[in-house]
């Protein structure tokens, strides 16, 4: 006899993360691999954050401030909200889990775009609830808010909006969001996952922070993992109605944001120069890569984020594996339902060039 896992858990397909550089070194003996697979910051972490994390290490014998007094206030200032509207998480992933535990029960449904961030499905299923998938628009791979709205029913408790959408890089316009919100039931929760909002160049992009008082309520999720270069530190946050925040605090592990994470995030917000450099590096990288790929005759889709999809016209999994031999890690979109697409994020100029050179060799040979 073995202990039996919950059926809801057995229905979850494990999350496939981007391949770590160290794994490539172990498996292929390649020491100088580059990774353009997890939408990380090519410049590294914010130097201001690194200094603050180092400075914080002498306090590691203490428990963190469970209320994150300083960081909540600094974030509230930064975003134009109240500290009571903010809940910190061990990455924004943890916020997804908290929201599911508070608002989803077995038998409930949540409406999800597909393809989108795979953690939504895992989170919904882990609460024993049922994901209802709304396919993306075929024309531009954007979220189909009309289809998502049509999928909302009696049992719907939650709707996930990924803006910009991972992996397609598309955004929701303000008008689309306004149409979507009209006449929705007020007892559901709208989750606006804005992990990549800092990279958006389109001024007409919907932003959840402008809808803090909306009915139904909108919970906005943000992270320090991408634009601030702190994915390894694990710190993200949600911005929401204070009453909803209070519910999340009931189940939030009291010390979920570590001392280094709080210190690093606080300093990262002040490191304006790093954010500016990140945005210019990423935007130049995206424009360069898309132009070069188009010149190779490939379709590189438009994006508002730090990554984009490429249609290779052949098996993306095979190309992904051959690129690994060249020490280049990208993401195959097979498990997202796009067997001919890869997802690539902007790297440093030399990394971008190395990816293009490797891709030319792989496709040519
Ligand atoms: C990277 C990412 C996150 C952020 O995850 P963290 O847990 O904050 O590192 C959230 N949502 C999407 C869509 C992402 O791609």
């Amino acid at each position: 006899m073995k202990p039996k896992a919950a059926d809801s858990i057995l229905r979850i397909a494990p999350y496939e993360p981007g391949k770590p550089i160290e794994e490539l070194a172990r498996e292929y003996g390649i020491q100088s691999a580059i990774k353009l697979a997890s939408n990380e910051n090519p410049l590294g972490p914010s130097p201001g954050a690194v200094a603050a994390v180092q400075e914080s290490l002498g306090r590691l014998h203490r428990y963190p401030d469970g209320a994150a007094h300083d960081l909540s206030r600094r974030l509230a200032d930064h975003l134009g909200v109240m500290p009571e509207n903010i809940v910190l998480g061990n990455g924004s992933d943890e916020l997804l889990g908290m929201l599911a535990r508070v608002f989803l029960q077995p038998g409930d449904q949540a409406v999800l775009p597909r393809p989108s961030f795979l953690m939504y499905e895992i989170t919904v299923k882990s609460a024993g609830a049922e994901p209802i998938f709304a396919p993306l628009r075929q024309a531009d791979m954007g979220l189909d808010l009309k289809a998502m709205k049509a999928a909302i029913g009696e049992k719907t408790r939650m709707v996930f909006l990924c803006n910009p959408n991972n992996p397609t890089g598309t955004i929701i316009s303000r008008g689309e969001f306004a149409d979507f919100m009209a006449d929705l039931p007020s007892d559901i929760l709208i989750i606006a996952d804005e992990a990549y909002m800092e990279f958006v160049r389109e001024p007409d992009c919907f932003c959840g922070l402008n809808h803090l008082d909306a009915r139904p309520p909108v919970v906005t999720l943000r992270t320090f993992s991408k634009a601030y270069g702190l994915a390894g530190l694990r710190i993200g946050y949600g911005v929401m109605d204070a009453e909803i925040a209070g519910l999340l605090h009931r189940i939030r592990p009291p010390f979920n944001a570590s001392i280094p994470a709080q210190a690093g995030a606080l300093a990262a917000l002040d490191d304006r120069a790093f954010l500016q450099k990140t945005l210019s590096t990423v935007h130049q990288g995206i424009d360069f890569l898309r132009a070069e790929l188009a010149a190779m005759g490939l379709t590189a889709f438009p994006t508002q984020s730090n990554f984009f999809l490429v249609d290779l016209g052949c098996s993306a999994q095979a190309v992904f594996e051959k690129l690994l031999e060249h020490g280049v890690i990208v993401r195959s979109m097979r498990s997202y339902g796009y067997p001919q697409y890869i997802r690539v994020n902007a790297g440093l100029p030399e990394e971008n060039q190395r990816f293009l050179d490797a891709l030319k060799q792989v496709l040519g040979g």
Side-chain angles (χ1 to χ4, degrees):
M1 284 288 275
K2 283 187 295 181
K4 170 136 173 36
D7 290 332
S8 54
I9 303 302
L10 294 172
R11 281 192 288 267
I12 296 175
Y15 182 76
E16 271 185 50
K19 206 176 186 58
I21 286 185
E22 296 76 12
E23 196 172 302
L24 201 64
R26 279 196 302 273
E27 290 175 5
Y28 293 77
I30 296 172
Q31 296 308 326
S32 59
I34 61 165
K35 183 178 174 194
L36 305 175
S38 295
N39 309 336
E40 293 153 341
N41 195 316
L43 295 174
S46 144
V50 170
V53 166
Q54 274 164 347
E55 190 279 321
S56 78
L57 297 181
R59 284 178 280 133
L60 285 187
H61 60 304
R62 302 287 181 203
Y63 279 100
D65 172 9
H69 178 276
D70 295 352
L71 180 55
S72 307
R73 265 155 196 75
R74 181 70 182 79
L75 270 173
D77 273 358
H78 177 68
L79 304 168
V81 301
M82 301 300 287
E84 298 76 44
N85 296 124
I86 293 173
V87 180
L88 295 176
N90 184 270
S92 52
D93 278 354
E94 192 187 29
L95 267 305
L96 291 171
M98 287 192 253
L99 287 162
R101 272 160 70 206
V102 171
F103 290 101
L104 293 178
Q105 301 189 55
D108 290 343
Q109 294 179 343
V111 176
L112 280 57
R114 184 157 69 179
S116 189
F117 191 41
L118 295 175
M119 282 308 295
Y120 306 145
E121 177 178 350
I122 293 175
T123 305
V124 168
K125 286 182 174 171
S126 67
E130 182 191 2
I132 304 293
F133 295 104
L136 301 185
R137 278 193 302 248
Q138 248 169 9
D140 62 354
M141 295 189 295
L143 263 61
D144 188 341
L145 291 193
K146 291 200 177 80
M148 295 190 74
K149 192 168 182 169
I152 295 171
E154 289 273 288
K155 295 181 181 170
T156 306
R157 300 269 66 88
M158 219 177 254
V159 179
F160 289 85
L161 304 178
C162 191
N163 185 46
N165 188 44
N166 178 3
T168 57
T170 53
I171 53 146
I172 299 166
S173 73
R174 293 162 199 247
E176 283 174 314
F177 180 73
D179 290 345
F180 170 74
M181 287 292 275
D183 308 315
L184 281 189
S186 57
D187 62 347
I188 62 174
L189 202 58
I190 311 298
I191 316 279
D193 182 354
E194 300 186 348
Y196 301 97
M197 187 53 80
E198 292 86 353
F199 300 107
V200 171
R201 288 188 265 187
E202 167 57 57
D204 190 34
C205 185
F206 146 67
C207 172
L209 295 179
N210 298 329
H211 302 271
L212 191 54
D213 301 323
R215 284 291 169 269
V218 176
V219 173
T220 305
L221 302 182
R222 296 270 181 103
T223 180
F224 287 91
S225 295
K226 310 284 161 54
Y228 295 96
L230 298 178
L233 198 55
R234 310 306 303 132
I235 180 92
Y237 58 95
V239 185
M240 65 204 81
D241 178 85
E243 208 172 304
I244 295 175
L247 293 168
L248 261 60
H249 282 304
R250 293 189 190 198
I251 56 145
R252 181 178 63 83
F255 307 114
N256 63 332
S258 72
I259 286 180
Q262 292 188 35
L266 199 56
L269 289 171
D270 288 328
D271 196 348
R272 302 288 309 166
F274 178 77
L275 182 63
Q276 285 314 317
K277 193 172 168 196
T278 295
L279 297 185
S280 63
T281 304
V282 164
H283 290 154
Q284 281 169 31
I286 292 281
D287 295 346
F288 170 75
L289 283 170
R290 289 190 59 236
E292 293 287 316
L293 290 163
M296 288 168 63
L298 297 171
T299 305
F301 291 95
T303 182
Q304 289 295 322
S305 195
N306 64 343
F307 57 81
F308 59 95
L309 294 177
V310 190
D311 184 351
L312 299 172
C314 60
S315 161
Q317 190 66 20
V319 172
F320 160 75
E321 282 165 22
K322 289 211 188 90
L323 283 173
L324 289 181
E325 295 169 18
H326 291 258
V328 175
I329 312 174
V330 299
R331 198 73 158 255
S332 156
M333 287 288 106
R334 186 178 59 177
S335 60
Y336 287 74
Y338 292 134
Q340 304 206 341
Y341 294 3
I342 53 170
R343 192 192 67 199
V344 186
N345 66 260
L348 296 172
E350 56 272 27
E351 294 174 327
N352 296 335
Q353 192 59 55
R354 192 165 144 201
F355 158 68
L356 290 169
D357 293 344
L359 185 64
K360 274 178 201 156
Q361 284 193 36
V362 165
L363 293 178

